[in-house]
Amino acid sequence: MVLTQPNLAMPSHNSDDSLSDSELIQTFVEGFVQGRPVLLSNANLRTEPLFDSMQLIDNKEGVISTANLSQAPISAKIRPVSAYWGVLHDAMMEQSFYPLAKSDMSDCYIYRYCAPSNDYEMHCTTARELWRVCWGRGYSVRSGIPLDLMIWGHGPTSHREKWHALRNMECENGQLAIKILGGTIRVDGEDLVVWARKNASTRLSSVNRQDRDGQSPLRSGMRGYLRLNN
């Protein structure tokens, strides 16, 4: 898919019950990435513009996602309790948008673009699944810093907005304690965490993607996007 420059003036409209839920969600995500509001609806879902953002609404549950189309870097808030969360999460991940933060005012995850590097394979799992990865590789009982795992800061303010080398992972007082250099990130077992494993032999196809004209596909509204390795 070739990304285009944002065009906020002329949203497209499609009201068709034959449009499947997954197709509608995919179009919503593509419109978000391109900065192009879309007006869609079927029997279960619809999209609605809201100032410089766009909402995805379940006709039964209410707002599922609010996508910011203008403020850089662009982001989308998504409710993980929605019945459509899995489809929406996968569509975001396909565009390299990851749940890099959790909203302080709601239970929504905030998805933002993060460009993978040549040397790391990106993952997004629950903290409990990351615990299993660490335990299986012996990190929970071995001293020293494992240099091939990185964790995105998800916790106290000082630990946010940054990649950290993962040193260890322990269970403390009913929470999982992710040990990083200079501190600890505490999360619940079902919280989503974004992490990366070094894989020098694999080059991710999403790195340095270019469109047919050889230009970067990132639009201006995505300035300030994150890279795994700075």
Side-chain angles (χ1 to χ4, degrees), residues 127 151-156 159-160 169-180 183-189 191-193:
I151 182 78
W152 177 259
H154 184 93
H159 295 153
R160 292 177 180 170
M169 201 165 178
E170 301 173 356
C171 185
E172 297 179 356
N173 301 320
Q175 284 190 313
L176 293 177
I178 302 172
K179 305 294 184 178
I180 59 175
T184 301
I185 300 172
R186 302 182 188 280
V187 294
D188 292 330
D191 281 345
L192 293 179
V193 291

Side-chain angles (χ1 to χ4, degrees), residues 107-173:
D107 61 351
C108 294
Y109 283 100
I110 301 174
Y111 285 67
R112 286 190 290 151
Y113 183 83
C114 184
S117 77
N118 292 345
D119 298 330
Y120 284 84
E121 180 182 345
M122 298 278 291
H123 297 271
C124 176
T125 67
T126 64
R128 182 172 286 109
E129 289 171 325
L130 177 59
W131 160 270
R132 293 192 184 104
V133 171
C134 293
W135 181 265
R137 295 166 61 121
Y139 290 162
S140 296
V141 296
R142 188 179 69 190
S143 61
I145 301 176
L147 299 179
D148 65 342
L149 284 182
M150 302 283 287
I151 182 78
W152 177 259
H154 184 93
T157 302
S158 60
H159 295 153
R160 292 177 180 170
E161 307 300 324
K162 185 179 179 181
W163 286 100
H164 302 270
L166 192 154
R167 299 184 62 184
N168 204 342
M169 201 165 178
E170 301 173 356
C171 185
E172 297 179 356
N173 301 320

Side-chain angles (χ1 to χ4, degrees), residues 8-202:
L8 301 182
M10 295 293 294
S12 58
H13 185 274
N14 187 346
S15 180
D16 186 354
D17 287 345
S18 67
L19 192 68
S20 72
D21 293 342
S22 60
E23 289 171 338
L24 189 149
I25 289 172
Q26 185 68 42
T27 306
F28 169 81
V29 171
E30 291 176 357
F32 157 64
V33 172
Q34 297 180 18
R36 174 176 51 84
V38 291
L39 297 178
L40 302 167
S41 65
N42 65 11
N44 302 314
L45 299 169
R46 71 183 189 275
T47 65
E48 291 184 359
L50 180 66
F51 301 106
D52 292 330
S53 63
M54 178 173 57
Q55 290 185 329
L56 176 64
I57 301 172
D58 183 330
N59 292 334
K60 294 181 179 179
E61 298 181 6
V63 177
I64 300 173
S65 175
T66 300
N68 157 45
L69 299 173
S70 61
Q71 184 179 0
I74 63 171
S75 62
K77 292 182 179 180
I78 299 177
R79 291 176 52 218
V81 296
S82 166
Y84 295 98
W85 175 81
V87 177
L88 188 51
H89 172 78
D90 290 345
M92 284 286 185
M93 294 275 285
E94 288 176 1
Q95 301 288 346
S96 295
F97 279 80
Y98 296 85
L100 298 180
K102 203 167 186 179
S103 174
D104 294 331
M105 303 300 294
S106 67
D107 61 351
C108 294
Y109 283 100
I110 301 174
Y111 285 67
R112 286 190 290 151
Y113 183 83
C114 184
S117 77
N118 292 345
D119 298 330
Y120 284 84
E121 180 182 345
M122 298 278 291
H123 297 271
C124 176
T125 67
T126 64
R128 182 172 286 109
E129 289 171 325
L130 177 59
W131 160 270
R132 293 192 184 104
V133 171
C134 293
W135 181 265
R137 295 166 61 121
Y139 290 162
S140 296
V141 296
R142 188 179 69 190
S143 61
I145 301 176
L147 299 179
D148 65 342
L149 284 182
M150 302 283 287
I151 182 78
W152 177 259
H154 184 93
T157 302
S158 60
H159 295 153
R160 292 177 180 170
E161 307 300 324
K162 185 179 179 181
W163 286 100
H164 302 270
L166 192 154
R167 299 184 62 184
N168 204 342
M169 201 165 178
E170 301 173 356
C171 185
E172 297 179 356
N173 301 320
Q175 284 190 313
L176 293 177
I178 302 172
K179 305 294 184 178
I180 59 175
L181 188 62
T184 301
I185 300 172
R186 302 182 188 280
V187 294
D188 292 330
E190 295 306 315
D191 281 345
L192 293 179
V193 291
V194 179
W195 53 281
R197 174 162 35 200
K198 194 167 187 178
N199 187 359
S201 63
T202 301

Side-chain angles (χ1 to χ4, degrees), residues 4-6 32-35 68-69 74 217-223:
T4 63
Q5 292 298 314
F32 157 64
V33 172
Q34 297 180 18
N68 157 45
L69 299 173
I74 63 171
L218 299 181
R219 62 184 178 85
S220 59
M222 294 174 68
R223 299 299 183 191

